[in-house]
Amino acid sequence: MYIWPKEIQQIIAEVLHAQNPITCLEKFKNYEPAKKITFLLFDGNQTTNFQYITHDYNLSKYRIVNLGNYANTAIITTSMLLDKNDLTAIKTAYSVNIDSNIVSMLPQLLKNKPITPDFLNFLVYIKKNNLDLNISPYLLEDSLNSSGMKNEARAYECLLSFFSFSDLSLQQLYSLPISPDVIAFNHADDAWSQMKYSRFYERNDEKRVRSIYCFLLKVYIIEFGSKKSSRKKLIELVDFINTNLGIYLESGLLLAYWYFNKSYNCVLDFFQKIQPGAKDKLKKVEGMAWDLFHLWDIPTEMAVQSHTYNAIILQAFATHDDALAQIAKLNPIVRIAFYQQEAQVKYKLSLSNFLHNDPIIDSIIDNQKQRECLCETVDLIELSTQLEHEFLNTIK
């Protein structure tokens, strides 16, 4: 969003935070560049037709989580406001991004062994409701993380089982194991080639997850490295963002605030993976960074797909990580703006809800330009290496 025109940034900020977003957008309906902005509102009072395409599933830690109240989805654009009597039908769709922990279970479908009833019930629900699944989170994570694709046979098996399941009928699901057909092998081969290319040529260019990884390392360094108050810990974290990271992670800061304050059990459950004496600490932090990325990247994926297919595509997240699912529910999205295949998000809660008139908020606002400049030049690989050494020396 840093590269968006300032006028667009201002319009989006005003509408996302307006008490009456429609009235607010009315002011800009004759401003030509504003036609390229689409707003999704999930905080209205009326249930809309989106209720018929969205789903919410929760059984034995298998979860399908909507990141906002999708049943209330309303769409507004300046074009709608200019001619309210000539509204064309809007194409809509709903897809479910599946977490790597679920993808890793799918190879069970290829084997002549019984699968757990809870997992089978989850798969049956998907088939009965004809849900469109998206394997992108797995493709990105296993090809770009430090330990991904080490067992190539296992990774390919995950792809093959996913594409086999995608074309499976409900009746076939009751007659396991699956016998992959040629189409499934072709799709798996294409996805495999994509993953191999990303691993060899794109790993060092990935910045979004690495920035979250750096952020989490610093959170743990602060938490385990001092006995300061939770407020002083937050001040130190904000200073790190302003002067070293250059990337403002609004949801991350709120998550860190809750962690420092021991506010919610699900947040503590998420962060407790790292303890003194634990094995593979860096690998676990990296896994956590990918978990958060999958959640926080969904609005961008919605923007890209909505632009690509000229539709409004809502995305949910399916996971077997109960703490991650609860965190997603803890702070739902209330409004989104799409512009140039990117998204700006307003969550229900932010730090300002808890820190009224606090200098910490002023520090975040006053250092925006400094972060923008730093974001263009920061070497995240070098920064992560420095933080890894400090992290391992702090938490032994």
Side-chain angles (χ1 to χ4, degrees):
M1 282 71 72
Y2 287 163
I3 61 174
W4 288 355
K6 293 296 182 183
E7 297 82 0
I8 295 296
Q9 293 184 37
Q10 182 63 33
I11 294 170
I12 288 174
E14 285 192 33
V15 175
L16 288 183
H17 294 87
Q19 185 171 357
N20 188 325
I22 296 178
T23 301
C24 181
L25 188 58
E26 284 271 4
K27 298 185 299 182
F28 307 104
K29 66 181 181 181
N30 294 311
Y31 180 57
E32 186 68 23
K35 291 182 178 180
K36 298 179 180 180
I37 310 172
T38 298
F39 292 94
L40 303 185
L41 313 178
F42 307 133
D43 56 345
N45 295 322
Q46 294 184 338
T47 302
T48 66
N49 286 337
F50 280 89
Q51 65 179 306
Y52 300 114
I53 66 171
T54 60
H55 294 263
D56 199 334
Y57 183 91
N58 180 12
L59 180 63
S60 187
K61 294 188 178 180
Y62 290 97
R63 303 286 295 272
I64 296 177
V65 182
N66 296 321
L67 302 190
N69 190 357
Y70 290 173
N72 284 16
T73 305
I75 307 164
I76 57 171
T77 65
T78 56
S79 297
M80 292 177 176
L81 299 178
L82 281 170
D83 193 350
K84 298 178 181 179
N85 296 320
D86 186 28
L87 296 179
T88 57
I90 298 173
K91 293 187 294 183
T92 60
Y94 178 78
S95 66
V96 180
N97 292 358
I98 52 175
D99 199 358
S100 295
N101 54 34
I102 290 180
V103 175
S104 67
M105 300 176 190
L106 289 176
Q108 297 179 48
L109 303 178
L110 305 178
K111 305 183 186 304
N112 194 17
K113 295 180 181 179
I115 66 175
T116 63
D118 290 334
F119 186 44
L120 180 60
N121 287 337
F122 174 72
L123 298 179
V124 167
Y125 182 87
I126 290 171
K127 286 300 175 184
K128 280 187 175 179
N129 292 280
N130 197 29
L131 296 185
D132 177 41
L133 299 184
N134 183 3
I135 197 176
S136 291
Y138 174 78
L139 297 181
L140 284 171
E141 181 172 347
D142 209 46
S143 59
L144 296 177
N145 71 5
S146 62
S147 58
M149 300 182 74
K150 285 188 175 179
N151 186 337
E152 294 194 351
R154 176 66 176 173
Y156 185 84
E157 191 178 39
C158 286
L159 297 176
L160 185 61
S161 59
F162 170 79
F163 290 111
S164 297
F165 175 72
S166 297
D167 292 330
L168 205 66
S169 69
L170 179 60
Q171 189 59 40
Q172 288 173 310
L173 187 55
Y174 289 116
S175 304
L176 299 176
I178 301 173
S179 295
D181 58 18
V182 174
I183 295 176
F185 275 105
N186 288 339
H187 286 314
D189 289 347
D190 290 341
W192 179 256
S193 297
Q194 176 186 337
M195 290 176 69
K196 294 288 282 188
Y197 180 88
S198 294
R199 188 149 197 87
F200 281 111
Y201 299 107
E202 297 177 343
R203 279 187 65 199
N204 290 337
D205 296 329
E206 199 290 311
K207 295 183 178 180
R208 294 174 295 176
V209 178
R210 191 172 291 274
S211 66
I212 300 172
Y213 177 62
C214 290
F215 173 84
L216 290 175
L217 288 173
K218 188 63 178 181
V219 168
Y220 280 121
I221 291 168
I222 293 171
E223 173 65 12
F224 286 92
S226 75
K227 297 182 179 179
K228 297 177 181 178
S229 67
S230 57
R231 184 176 183 279
K232 288 185 177 179
K233 289 178 180 178
L234 189 64
I235 291 173
E236 186 176 346
L237 183 60
V238 170
D239 182 65
F240 165 76
I241 289 172
N242 288 336
T243 59
N244 295 95
L245 187 61
I247 299 168
Y248 175 49
L249 301 169
E250 180 179 13
S251 293
L253 275 175
L254 185 55
L255 202 60
Y257 171 81
W258 286 332
Y259 175 52
F260 293 151
N261 280 281
K262 309 296 184 285
S263 301
Y264 296 98
N265 287 335
C266 63
V267 176
L268 295 178
D269 288 343
F270 182 74
F271 279 97
Q272 75 173 1
K273 299 169 186 176
I274 303 301
Q275 297 293 337
K279 296 181 180 180
D280 300 322
K281 289 191 282 288
L282 292 178
K283 182 179 178 181
K284 289 177 180 177
V285 176
E286 185 182 21
M288 294 167 63
W290 277 103
D291 286 339
L292 294 176
F293 167 75
H294 293 323
L295 284 183
W296 298 342
D297 185 57
I298 283 179
T300 298
E301 291 299 314
M302 288 166 58
V304 171
Q305 289 201 350
S306 295
H307 178 270
T308 300
Y309 297 105
N310 192 27
I312 297 299
I313 299 179
L314 301 180
Q315 290 189 351
F317 187 60
T319 182
H320 193 241
D321 186 331
D322 190 54
L324 186 62
Q326 288 187 54
I327 285 173
K329 289 286 191 180
L330 198 59
N331 192 20
I333 296 170
V334 292
R335 295 175 186 175
I336 300 179
F338 295 159
Y339 179 77
Q340 291 186 345
Q341 302 187 61
E342 278 286 349
Q344 179 69 36
V345 176
K346 180 179 186 297
Y347 289 92
K348 181 179 180 179
L349 301 171
S350 67
L351 271 180
S352 59
N353 293 107
F354 302 92
L355 303 176
H356 302 288
N357 301 317
D358 194 294
I360 293 176
I361 303 300
D362 295 334
S363 175
I364 294 171
I365 295 172
D366 295 343
N367 286 280
Q368 178 179 344
K369 289 185 178 180
Q370 177 175 306
R371 290 194 303 272
E372 290 176 2
C373 293
L374 180 58
C375 182
E376 296 178 357
T377 59
V378 63
D379 186 336
L380 290 172
I381 294 178
E382 180 181 345
L383 179 61
S384 63
T385 300
Q386 294 171 0
L387 291 168
E388 285 171 351
H389 290 305
E390 187 177 357
F391 169 82
L392 292 174
N393 288 331
T394 303
I395 310 172
K396 297 181 179 180

